[in-house]
Amino acid sequence: MISETDVMQIIVYAGNAKSLAMNAIKEAKVGETVEAKKMLEESKSNLKIAHQHHTDILQKFANNPDEPTNMFLTHAQDHMMAAITATEFAKEFIDLHEELKEMRILIKQNA
């Protein structure tokens, strides 16, 4: 049987992953790309844990097709998908801010 505790693990770790990804974007925006990358890696680590909990729940459904589902699980999956998206965007924003930083350095050197 799938408990609320099982589902809550997805929400907790996905929430952590999303927060870390958003904070990574903020760090990159102010030029702290090294710190941003650390936060992004921590975000990915939390996301991996959330995904493992999700996989465990899906396996329970596969083993027992009559297992009832609920809106709480749907809510947890929504959190996980938001975290995945935030983490993917964070990587792109960090890369972009690194490129902008390099461009600024080149412009200053050539001025």
Side-chain angles (χ1 to χ4, degrees):
M1 176 167 187
I2 298 167
S3 71
E4 287 183 2
T5 303
D6 294 332
V7 176
M8 194 64 189
Q9 294 303 307
I10 297 170
I11 293 170
V12 168
Y13 285 102
N16 289 346
K18 183 180 171 194
S19 293
L20 285 159
M22 296 306 292
N23 286 332
I25 292 169
K26 289 175 186 174
E27 288 295 316
K29 187 175 178 179
V30 297
E32 297 295 332
T33 55
V34 172
E35 183 64 26
K37 286 180 179 182
K38 288 178 187 175
M39 288 180 168
L40 182 60
E41 287 308 309
E42 193 175 345
S43 173
K44 289 178 182 180
S45 176
N46 275 266
L47 194 54
K48 185 176 180 180
I49 295 167
H51 189 264
Q52 184 58 55
H53 284 287
H54 186 249
T55 300
D56 293 345
I57 289 172
L58 292 178
Q59 287 174 340
K60 288 178 183 179
F61 278 119
N63 292 332
N64 183 7
D66 296 327
E67 178 77 38
T69 187
N70 58 44
M71 290 302 292
F72 196 46
L73 179 57
T74 303
H75 180 67
Q77 290 171 315
D78 185 47
H79 272 279
M80 193 169 74
M81 293 307 300
I84 291 168
T85 302
T87 301
E88 290 172 357
F89 281 148
K91 181 182 180 336
E92 295 301 319
F93 281 122
I94 291 167
D95 290 347
L96 178 63
H97 283 291
E98 271 190 324
E99 288 179 30
L100 287 171
K101 188 176 182 179
E102 289 171 12
M103 287 175 60
R104 286 184 191 115
I105 291 169
L106 288 173
I107 289 170
K108 283 182 182 179
Q109 289 174 346
N110 293 324

